[in-house]
Structures are given as structure tokens and as C-alpha cells.
């Protein structure tokens, strides 16, 4: 290995965020071991990395122990969109909880740092707005989203218990809505849904009256936050919010996508899903102070790149991309 080069494990490395992280780490000169069971990740996301001599792909389900030799671990393995994590809710909880246990056990054996990709969903449908890391949340433990929300909350608990009990070097990032190239067109997330519906001239489906808010972070900004957190001093364990504090209503986003795509699609409304949060906005004071991090890509800039990605994808696959 070259001086400063690390061998880094990325679980969920063929997913939306994982593939961007793998690319970033390779560009920094590291070796990357990408582990994925391809439940939601795709080989297409990492196709450009396969020929890189510093990139290795291993098909593996993180709910089973993994025995490898690495210097750092980024634990991103878990379906993140409601459509996918509700498809097999028991497996979703297992992925969060058993996946945390297995990656933490590996980090403990190797005595290496490990970062958990947690989520703003740990705040549930928040009463406090915006959401600081000190907020304990408002989570339904028995609803259809609970497999993801509570699975991630339990994973955070495990990370901090390993830190206190075994002195493990941990980092916990709470991810807010993130978008960009390599999102799946069928993942049901608001940005990918709206763009694909607009490009295909279909009705744009807004759940609720469109007044619920989200804060959209472009993927390259988020990955920069991941790496800064991993490389921060040992005592900075997190949890730390990573997201864009610029808040937009879902209705505003739908209109913006229609304008930017030149679509003739019309907006239709559907009932709001159970436990869907009404507001979502990160307080990123800690990220600014402790990591010197804040997003730099505006929603307009990010949407231009994301729309271009989906335009190319739809040209290649046609409407089958949404099947």
C-alpha cells in the first residue's frame, strides 16, 4: 500500500450512496472492498469501478458475519426507501440490527474505526423543528415504517454501547433526504418519482396536500460529510446530522421539477401514508462547528444533474426503468 492508503470496507457499496462513497474513496487513493447482497443495490451503479485494481466486490448479506481484513468500515447496508424497506420488514430490521452487530464485531476484532449510516427517520414525525441531534424523536414503534425507524435507532444504541463497553472508535451520521445520480427510478422517493413521472409525461403524484416539507441534500455533499466525519478526531462520535437545511415543500418540488423538465405533467394528490413526517429539516450546527461541513450544491444545480441522469437512464431502458 502507498503511504496513507487504507483498505476500506463499504457495506451496501452497490447502492445509491454506497456507490458514490466507493468512487470517492478510490479517487482518494484507497483500496475499497464493496459488500452488497444486491437487494436494492445494482451492479450498474458500480460498473465503472469493476476494472479498478483497487476495487473488490463481494456479494454477501451483512446479516451474516463477515471475516475480512480492513482498516475502516462504513456501514451503509440497508434498504432506505419506504417501498423497499416495507417489502420485507423483518429482513429490514435484521439488516439494521444484525448488520450493526456483525460490523461492530468485525471492527472490535480488528480494532478499527467504524461509521454507521443512520437516518433522520430516528426522529420520526418530529414535534421539534428543525431537528437537532439532542432531540429524542417522536417515533411510532408499531407502524409500517417502524422496521426502518426502530431498526436504525437500535443500531445507534449498539454503536454507542460498543463504544462505551469496548472503547470502539465509532462515528454515527444521521442522513437527511439525499438525491442524485444512481437513485433507483422505482424506489418511491420523492425526487426520483417526480423526475421520472415528469420525463414520461405521467401524472405527478403528491401524497397529502403537498405542504409537508423536506430538505434535499445532493449526494456529493453528503459523501463529503461522511468522509469528514470518519476522519474527525476520535472523540467526535456523533450522532451528527448531515443534510441540507434549505427546506422546501413537496408541492414546491413538484412544480420545480415540471418547470426544469419542460413537462406537461399535471399534479395529482393521494392520501398521505401512515406516519409520514410532516416536517423534516436538519439543524446542522454541529456539522458546521465540528466538521467544517455544510452543503454547497443548490437544489437547482443538483436537480440539473439528477434530471440528466434519469433522461439517459430512460433512453436506455424506456418505461421499463419504472417497472
Amino acid at each position: 500500500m502507498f503511504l496513507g492508503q487504507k483498505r476500506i470496507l463499504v457495506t451496501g457499496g452497490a447502492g445509491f450512496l454506497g456507490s458514490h462513497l466507493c468512487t470517492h474513496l478510490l479517487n482518494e487513493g484507497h483500496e475499497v472492498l464493496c459488500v452488497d447482497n444486491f437487494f436494492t443495490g445494482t451492479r450498474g451503479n458500480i460498473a465503472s469501478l469493476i476494472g479498478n485494481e483497487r476495487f473488490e466486490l463481494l456479494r454477501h448479506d451483512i446479516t451474516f458475519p463477515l471475516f475480512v481484513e480492513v482498516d475502516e468500515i462504513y456501514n451503509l447496508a440497508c434498504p432506505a426507501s419506504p417501498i423497499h424497506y416495507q417489502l420485507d420488514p423483518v429482513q429490514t430490521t435484521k439488516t439494521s440490527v444484525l448488520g450493526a452487530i456483525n460490523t461492530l464485531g468485525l471492527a472490535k476484532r480488528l480494532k478499527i474505526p467504524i461509521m454507521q449510516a443512520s437516518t433522520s427517520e430516528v426522529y420520526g414525525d418530529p414535534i421539534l423543528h428543525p431537528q437537532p441531534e439532542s432531540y429524542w424523536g417522536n417515533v411510532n414503534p408499531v407502524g409500517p415504517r417502524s422496521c426502518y425507524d426502530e431498526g436504525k435507532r437500535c443500531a445507534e444504541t449498539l454503536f454507542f454501547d460498543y463504544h462505551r463497553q469496548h472503547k470502539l472508535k465509532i462515528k454515527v451520521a444521521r442522513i437527511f433526504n439525499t438525491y442524485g445520480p444512481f437513485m433507483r427510478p422505482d424506489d418511491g422517493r420523492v425526487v426520483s418519482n417526480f423526475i421520472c413521472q415528469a420525463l414520461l409525461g405521467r401524472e405527478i403524484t403528491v401524497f397529502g396536500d403537498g405542504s409537508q416539507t423536506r430538505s434535499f441534500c445532493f449526494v456529493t455533499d453528503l459523501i463529503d460529510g461522511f468522509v469528514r466525519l470518519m476522519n474527525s478526531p476520535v472523540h467526535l462520535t456523533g450522532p451528527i446530522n448531515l443534510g441540507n437545511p434549505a427546506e422546501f415543500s413537496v408541492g414546491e418540488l413538484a412544480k420545480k421539477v415540471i418547470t426544469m423538465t419542460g413537462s406537461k405533467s399535471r399534479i395529482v394528490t393521494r392520501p398521505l401514508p401512515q406516519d409520514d413526517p410532516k416536517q423534516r429539516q436538519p439543524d446542522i450546527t454541529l456539522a458546521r462547528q465540528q466538521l467544517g461541513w455544510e452543503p454547497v450544491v443548490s437544489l437547482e444545480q443538483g436537480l440539473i444533474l439528477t434530471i440528466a441522469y434519469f433522461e439517459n437512464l430512460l433512453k436506455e431502458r424506456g418505461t421499463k426503468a419504472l417497472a
Side-chain angles (χ1 to χ4, degrees), residues 53-65:
E53 62 182 9
R54 289 181 284 105
F55 179 78
E56 183 181 352
L57 173 63
L58 175 63
R59 184 166 193 154
H60 179 80
D61 188 328
I62 204 63
T63 61
F64 297 94

Side-chain angles (χ1 to χ4, degrees), residues 8-266:
I8 301 175
L9 168 62
V10 180
T11 70
F16 163 47
L17 298 182
S19 57
H20 281 276
L21 178 59
C22 288
T23 299
H24 184 99
L25 295 173
L26 288 169
N27 289 340
E28 287 192 334
H30 300 297
E31 292 185 3
V32 173
L33 172 58
C34 168
V35 169
D36 207 295
N37 68 351
F38 295 104
F39 178 63
T40 57
T42 67
R43 292 183 182 274
N45 287 350
I46 52 170
S48 64
L49 309 181
I50 297 296
N52 191 315
E53 62 182 9
R54 289 181 284 105
F55 179 78
E56 183 181 352
L57 173 63
L58 175 63
R59 184 166 193 154
H60 179 80
D61 188 328
I62 204 63
T63 61
F64 297 94
L66 180 64
F67 301 98
V68 293
E69 299 295 326
V70 292
D71 302 306
E72 284 180 353
I73 302 171
Y74 288 84
N75 184 35
L76 275 61
C78 189
S81 73
I83 283 180
H84 291 142
Y85 68 64
Q86 292 176 19
L87 188 64
D88 190 344
V90 172
Q91 186 63 25
T92 295
T93 302
K94 285 182 177 181
T95 301
S96 287
V97 177
L98 295 179
I101 291 170
N102 289 330
T103 52
L104 285 164
L106 178 61
K108 177 189 170 190
R109 178 177 69 82
L110 297 174
K111 298 181 174 59
I112 60 172
I114 179 171
M115 194 203 84
Q116 166 69 1
S118 190
T119 173
S120 58
E121 297 296 333
V122 300
Y123 299 121
D125 187 3
I127 297 171
L128 185 61
H129 188 75
Q131 294 83 56
E133 292 85 350
S134 58
Y135 179 50
W136 289 0
N138 177 40
V139 178
N140 177 2
V142 295
R145 300 170 68 103
S146 304
C147 58
Y148 186 67
D149 301 2
E150 296 288 35
K152 289 289 191 177
R153 284 164 69 94
C154 184
E156 285 196 15
T157 299
L158 286 162
F159 265 70
F160 279 90
D161 283 340
Y162 266 77
H163 172 64
R164 286 184 287 258
Q165 187 172 340
H166 302 296
K167 311 303 179 188
L168 198 62
K169 298 174 184 176
I170 67 162
K171 307 287 181 179
V172 175
R174 288 178 178 165
I175 304 167
F176 282 69
N177 291 67
T178 304
Y179 69 100
F182 298 136
M183 295 182 82
R184 286 180 56 148
D186 62 348
D187 66 7
R189 289 190 253 200
V190 64
V191 173
S192 52
N193 260 13
F194 287 177
I195 291 175
C196 289
Q197 288 170 341
L199 290 174
L200 293 170
R202 297 178 177 176
E203 293 179 336
I204 291 185
T205 309
V206 171
F207 292 97
D209 61 6
S211 64
Q212 66 271 33
T213 64
R214 297 292 183 268
S215 303
F216 303 104
C217 184
F218 192 64
V219 62
T220 55
D221 282 333
L222 183 78
I223 298 305
D224 177 52
F226 278 179
V227 175
R228 286 178 187 241
L229 179 58
M230 179 64 93
N231 294 330
S232 65
V234 173
H235 68 276
L236 296 180
T237 60
I240 193 159
N241 289 337
L242 294 177
N244 194 320
E247 187 179 17
F248 295 88
S249 74
V250 171
E252 284 180 282
L253 177 68
K255 292 174 184 176
K256 188 178 289 288
V257 167
I258 289 173
T259 299
M260 292 181 69
T261 57
S263 175
K264 293 183 171 24
S265 295
R266 67 186 187 94

